[in-house]
Amino acid sequence: MAQITISCSIPVPDDDVADVSEFLHKLVGRSRVSTARMLRMGETGCFYTCPLYTDEHVKLSRLIRRMLAFFEAKAIPLTILKIGAQDSWYEVDPERRDPWKISPQALLALLDATPDGGA
């Protein structure tokens, strides 16, 4: 099954780190301290990874939609990487992420789709 990872495209400004860390802590249960560290790392600081189309797809879809809306409202750009079912994160070159990048709109379309390509 496809997998995604989400990070901020740029380091989150110090003014926003506390709010964003608190949001992610409440939403996904991540530690505020480790999340703040990830947010300050920008693209290399992945704060969320999950497989798509599992038995919990509906729950994950709602969670990801809330996350995307929050970051859009904060005007914090995201880097979203997607790999296929046969791929591994080890294949993703940290210096060349473009082949795996997708937009938030593309992620929303994936969340609306089914694993076999239907909607």
Side-chain angles (χ1 to χ4, degrees):
M1 75 191 64
Q3 295 183 58
I4 61 155
T5 186
I6 303 175
S7 61
C8 295
S9 297
I10 56 173
V12 174
D14 286 338
D15 299 358
D16 291 327
V17 168
D19 289 341
V20 177
S21 296
E22 183 64 22
F23 170 78
L24 291 171
H25 171 71
K26 288 180 180 176
L27 188 67
V28 296
R30 289 200 57 123
S31 151
R32 291 175 190 90
V33 173
S34 68
T35 301
R37 184 173 39 250
M38 295 294 187
L39 295 171
R40 289 184 178 105
M41 292 172 66
E43 236 181 33
T44 60
C46 167
F47 59 80
Y48 187 73
T49 301
C50 76
L52 298 178
Y53 313 121
T54 67
D55 292 342
E56 294 192 359
H57 181 73
V58 173
K59 177 183 170 187
L60 290 174
S61 179
R62 281 194 304 262
L63 181 144
I64 292 169
R65 289 172 194 280
R66 284 184 61 201
M67 195 180 302
L68 294 178
F70 176 85
F71 281 92
E72 182 177 350
K74 286 278 197 186
I76 299 172
L78 295 175
T79 296
I80 303 164
L81 304 179
K82 176 191 159 287
I83 61 171
Q86 305 305 317
D87 299 323
S88 164
W89 287 116
Y90 295 109
E91 297 172 28
V92 178
D93 182 348
E95 300 300 318
R96 294 189 181 95
R97 297 169 179 235
D98 286 345
W100 295 278
K101 285 184 182 179
I102 62 170
S103 68
Q105 295 77 17
L107 177 54
L108 290 171
L110 285 171
L111 295 174
D112 290 339
T114 58
D116 59 8

